[in-house]
Amino acid sequence: MKQYLSLREQYPRFAYRGYEIEENESCLRLTYRFETVGLSEFAPVWVFPKAEGDCHRWSKDRLMQDMIFSLGMVELVSYWKIACPPTVAVEAGWLNQDQIDWWKDLYFNGLGEFFYVNGIEEADPNHFMNIRCAGRCKERHAAWGAEIDGNGKAAGISAVNSDSLASGGVLVPIGGGKDSAVTLELLRLAGKSIYAYIINPRGATIHTTEVAGLDAAHVISAKRTLDPNMLELNRQGYLNGHTPFSALVAFSGIIAARMHGLSMVALSNESSANESTVQGSTVNHQYSKSFKFEEDFHYYQTTYLRGSAYYFSLLRPLSEFQIARYFAGQKQYHGIFRSCNAGSRTDSWCGHCPKCLFVYLILSPFLTPQEVMDIFGRNMLDDWDMKETLDQLIGIEEEKPFECVGSRDEINTAIVLTIKGLEEAGEALPRLLSYYKTTDLYRTYEAKGDQYSSYYDGNNLVPDDLARLVRKYCADGL
């Protein structure tokens, strides 16, 4: 892509200058300083609320410093992608070679959709970015108490009073959709002390916590503010696109967990997130929701952020199919959950986008046609304008929509079961399902039957007691 190469030549250097911490009795405010040299400076802001009665000086906590620096490492990629400078100068902290390799791997895979959609074929894992750390940062890092071994790896990093902070509580990031609602309900069954974590609260996220019965003391709302200079450059036509948002959830989540004395962060990412969006490639819209990222993050925590909350996805063993089946029984959430990006500003389902159609399809085997229509306000399966989107979801097209949707196999399975249920009830098939029945996919998946009711992916980091609960309620073939 000519623009990519031209911008890299024109703006060859990006700098992570540093961060500022402001702290008072009620919150911790972080201002990051980035610069695309010769183009613009950026100062995005995060604000984390303190727990009532919190007397800690978090700005003096060694582990918190490392986590704050790391959150900046994730945040920077949203600003780097504007011009994709080949050199990133990290002045805010020290990274050894192992860490540099880790971050480059996250950036490259997390920007897979960005490179693909923008037609950037020139980017490769080794040369798209060169991360350099200033020598004085090594000295600063060592002054905080880290020992640097002969290979440049950090050793001996320990958290301050981590034992006294761990209360056994669980932080659950809430996005407002069905998945986090299922996590809340399963953890409730486990008798866990639950705290919701919300970034920039909106209607559906707030309503989810209300329906779950969480009071204000158990809802932690962080605020993330994008720099207006980035938004203006996007408007002017500089490079823009998808970044690994769930990595922000991970690093900011462990900050919130530490501030509130919680020992676990339970995500709601399922095994379906591992599937590539573009068939035959590694391009995955959900990369930072994948198990690869979960494992990588776990490695980074245990190596460089020792003492931070244990991060895992409770739903990792499951498919979207099983999550939808369990959620169908949680009717208290049906009127308030939302996961439509197009309707996020109005806290509604648009009823016309790929995410809406996916959720409609995956719930249809487990709810009556009227119940699904009541959620979306219309019968999407009778909308012929959605045929192309359906073809993307079921695998007729090479690309799935660039949305957080389930695997092709489980979507096909859900459709076949929906058709079976309608026909057994003597009801006419809506247009999209009548069309689907004419495809080879229908015959293939009808022969396969239900592959998912008893599905369980053993590649997960779920603690044993919770894994048994997930099996009991979601993977027992009911």
Side-chain angles (χ1 to χ4, degrees):
M1 183 185 184
K2 290 183 178 180
Q3 186 183 22
Y4 171 76
L5 297 174
S6 174
L7 288 172
R8 284 167 68 83
E9 182 177 358
Q10 188 174 358
Y11 305 106
R13 190 167 179 269
F14 182 92
Y16 179 3
R17 300 292 189 196
Y19 54 83
E20 299 160 10
I21 303 175
E22 301 172 67
E23 186 171 8
N24 57 36
E25 293 180 356
S26 63
C27 69
L28 189 70
R29 178 186 174 92
L30 313 174
T31 302
Y32 290 98
R33 301 293 179 182
F34 305 127
E35 181 181 2
T36 300
V37 179
L39 178 63
S40 180
E41 296 180 346
F42 310 100
V45 175
W46 280 80
V47 179
F48 294 90
K50 287 187 173 182
E52 186 176 354
D54 182 359
C55 297
H56 286 87
R57 295 299 294 173
W58 294 112
S59 58
K60 303 299 183 183
D61 181 272
R62 168 58 204 280
L63 175 56
M64 183 63 75
Q65 283 274 349
D66 288 344
M67 292 194 292
I68 290 170
F69 165 66
S70 298
L71 178 59
M73 288 297 298
V74 191
E75 188 70 77
L76 76 79
V77 76
S78 294
Y79 299 88
W80 174 86
K81 75 176 191 302
I82 291 169
C84 301
T87 296
V88 172
V90 177
E91 302 172 2
W94 172 255
L95 298 170
N96 62 47
Q97 190 59 49
D98 180 57
Q99 289 172 292
I100 288 173
D101 293 343
W102 191 94
W103 284 106
K104 286 181 67 174
D105 183 73
L106 169 61
Y107 295 154
F108 187 78
N109 287 292
L111 290 170
E113 175 182 334
F114 165 79
F115 292 135
Y116 180 82
V117 171
N118 283 290
I120 301 172
E121 298 178 355
E122 297 85 353
D124 70 82
N126 296 319
H127 304 105
F128 79 105
M129 178 190 291
N130 180 25
I131 298 176
R132 296 177 179 173
C133 292
R136 63 183 178 85
C137 295
K138 180 175 180 178
E139 297 171 2
R140 178 181 179 278
H141 190 82
W144 275 100
E147 297 176 5
I148 308 299
D149 67 20
N151 296 316
K153 292 190 175 183
I157 299 177
S158 59
V160 178
N161 296 323
S162 59
D163 290 339
S164 64
L165 289 172
S167 67
V170 185
L171 187 78
V172 179
I174 304 297
K178 65 184 182 349
D179 297 355
S180 52
V182 169
T183 293
L184 288 172
E185 291 305 310
L186 290 174
L187 289 173
R188 188 205 304 278
L189 291 172
K192 297 293 185 182
S193 176
I194 304 168
Y195 290 73
Y197 174 56
I198 304 174
I199 301 174
N200 295 343
R202 59 184 177 89
T205 53
I206 296 169
H207 296 326
T208 297
T209 65
E210 293 171 345
V211 171
L214 299 177
D215 60 22
H218 288 78
V219 178
I220 303 168
S221 297
K223 184 178 181 182
R224 178 193 183 214
T225 303
L226 299 173
D227 187 282
N229 290 341
M230 178 185 73
L231 302 177
E232 172 59 23
L233 290 169
N234 290 343
R235 189 189 66 80
Q236 292 179 22
Y238 283 79
L239 292 170
N240 194 15
H242 181 73
T243 57
F245 179 78
S246 292
L248 283 173
V249 176
F251 280 96
S252 66
I254 60 173
I255 289 176
R258 181 157 180 80
M259 290 179 67
H260 291 260
L262 307 177
S263 61
M264 293 191 288
V265 178
L267 278 292
S268 305
N269 304 324
E270 71 294 323
S271 65
S272 314
N274 298 327
E275 183 177 81
S276 64
T277 304
V278 180
Q279 293 188 55
S281 80
T282 59
V283 176
N284 185 358
H285 174 77
Q286 301 188 82
Y287 172 73
S288 57
K289 289 186 175 182
S290 70
F291 186 58
K292 180 186 182 303
F293 173 75
E294 186 176 333
E295 281 192 303
D296 288 350
F297 184 77
H298 181 71
Y299 165 78
Y300 200 88
Q301 276 190 289
T302 55
T303 307
Y304 301 107
L305 302 172
R306 291 208 293 260
S308 56
Y310 183 74
Y311 170 95
F312 70 101
S313 176
L314 183 66
L315 307 186
R316 181 66 65 194
L318 304 176
S319 68
E320 282 273 19
F321 182 91
Q322 291 162 302
I323 294 167
R325 184 183 64 179
Y326 186 85
F327 182 77
Q330 309 302 313
K331 297 189 184 299
Q332 68 271 29
Y333 292 99
H334 290 187
I336 59 94
F337 86 108
R338 304 284 187 273
S339 52
C340 168
N341 292 321
S344 60
R345 291 188 178 181
T346 56
D347 197 43
S348 62
W349 296 100
C350 76
H352 299 278
C353 73
K355 188 61 179 283
C356 284
L357 182 59
F358 163 68
V359 179
Y360 201 112
L361 289 169
I362 207 71
L363 287 175
S364 289
F366 313 113
L367 297 172
T368 68
Q370 188 60 52
E371 286 175 321
V372 188
M373 282 192 286
D374 287 345
I375 291 171
F376 293 90
R378 61 192 297 266
N379 187 348
M380 294 187 69
L381 303 185
D382 250 338
D383 185 352
W384 191 246
D385 289 339
M386 299 299 297
K387 176 186 173 295
E388 183 177 351
T389 301
L390 178 67
D391 287 344
Q392 292 176 316
L393 289 170
I394 61 181
I396 288 178
E397 296 291 337
E398 185 178 77
E399 295 177 13
K400 283 197 303 186
F402 285 100
E403 297 269 7
C404 293
V405 297
S407 71
R408 299 168 180 89
D409 280 346
E410 62 194 346
I411 295 170
N412 280 285
T413 300
I415 293 174
V416 167
L417 292 179
T418 300
I419 290 173
K420 180 181 178 181
L422 291 173
E423 290 183 336
E424 288 178 349
E427 298 189 33
L429 296 181
R431 293 187 71 186
L432 292 183
L433 298 191
S434 293
Y435 155 71
Y436 179 85
K437 199 173 178 182
T438 67
T439 68
D440 291 338
L441 288 170
Y442 173 72
R443 289 178 286 278
T444 298
Y445 283 92
E446 184 185 32
K448 288 183 178 181
D450 179 359
Q451 309 170 72
Y452 287 102
S453 289
S454 300
Y455 177 84
Y456 190 87
D457 190 336
N459 292 317
N460 64 76
L461 299 177
V462 183
D464 289 344
D465 61 329
L466 295 176
R468 287 191 292 270
L469 182 133
V470 170
R471 277 188 180 275
K472 177 179 178 181
Y473 288 98
C474 300
D476 58 5
L478 286 176

